[in-house]
Amino acid sequence: MPLKNPRHILPTISPNICIVNFYTTSGRLGLHQDRDESRDSLGRGLPVVSLSVGDSAEFLYGDTRDVDEAKTVVLESGDVLIFGGNSRMIYHGISSIYANSAPKALQDEAGFRPGRLNLTFRQF
Ligand SMILES: O=C(O)CCC(=O)C(=O)O
Ligand SMILES: [Fe+2]
């Protein structure tokens, strides 16, 4: 079945914030909700658009702050994860970084240091 047009699922954004996180190979981020955007933005469920570069990471997500109930998805270099609409207030975090999992060209040709870069684009 063809994927639905995302515009029918999530509102579009004009991002005016980019949060940049760099994780060393021992880096972690505890389960949290992203709630620093405006009430209007949160109320409309405007999505967070997350781009991963470098080493792969285990991304946890769930409806509660309970790590044991959270699901996991591995985010690889180049992956874009979008959460918005009914999922805008999910708890999420990073439980581990897989050392040496980045594409070799990133290290060899771009001089990317070991670890993971994450950029999240948001509309305040
Ligand atoms: O590194 C990630 O994939 C998540 C980052 C995050 O949750 C945040 O910046 O609020
Ligand atoms: Fe977050």
Side-chain angles (χ1 to χ4, degrees):
M1 199 171 103
L3 208 61
K4 280 187 198 162
N5 183 334
R7 279 174 208 214
H8 298 154
I9 303 172
L10 289 176
T12 54
I13 58 168
S14 299
N16 51 14
I17 301 175
C18 177
I19 295 180
V20 180
N21 290 311
F22 185 81
Y23 301 78
T24 61
T25 47
S26 58
R28 305 273 181 280
L29 181 63
L31 282 178
H32 66 280
Q33 291 173 308
D34 290 354
R35 49 189 337 149
D36 289 336
E37 293 71 33
S38 68
R39 279 179 62 171
D40 178 65
S41 179
L42 297 176
R44 289 161 62 200
L46 298 190
V48 173
V49 178
S50 157
L51 169 66
S52 298
V53 181
D55 286 333
S56 301
E58 275 186 6
F59 180 88
L60 300 184
Y61 64 98
D63 293 330
T64 71
R65 194 174 270 135
D66 186 347
V67 174
D68 295 329
E69 285 187 15
K71 294 181 184 158
T72 303
V73 64
V74 175
L75 296 180
E76 299 180 348
S77 191
D79 282 349
V80 173
L81 175 86
I82 303 176
F83 56 94
N86 293 339
S87 302
R88 180 58 177 76
M89 299 312 289
I90 55 164
Y91 287 88
H92 59 280
I94 296 294
S95 55
S96 66
I97 305 291
Y98 297 159
N100 297 314
S101 57
K104 291 288 158 258
L106 263 186
Q107 224 170 310
D108 299 347
E109 291 167 34
F112 195 86
R113 68 166 92 159
R116 171 176 180 265
L117 188 63
N118 174 258
L119 294 91
T120 50
F121 299 92
R122 307 141 190 262
Q123 182 173 325
F124 182 76

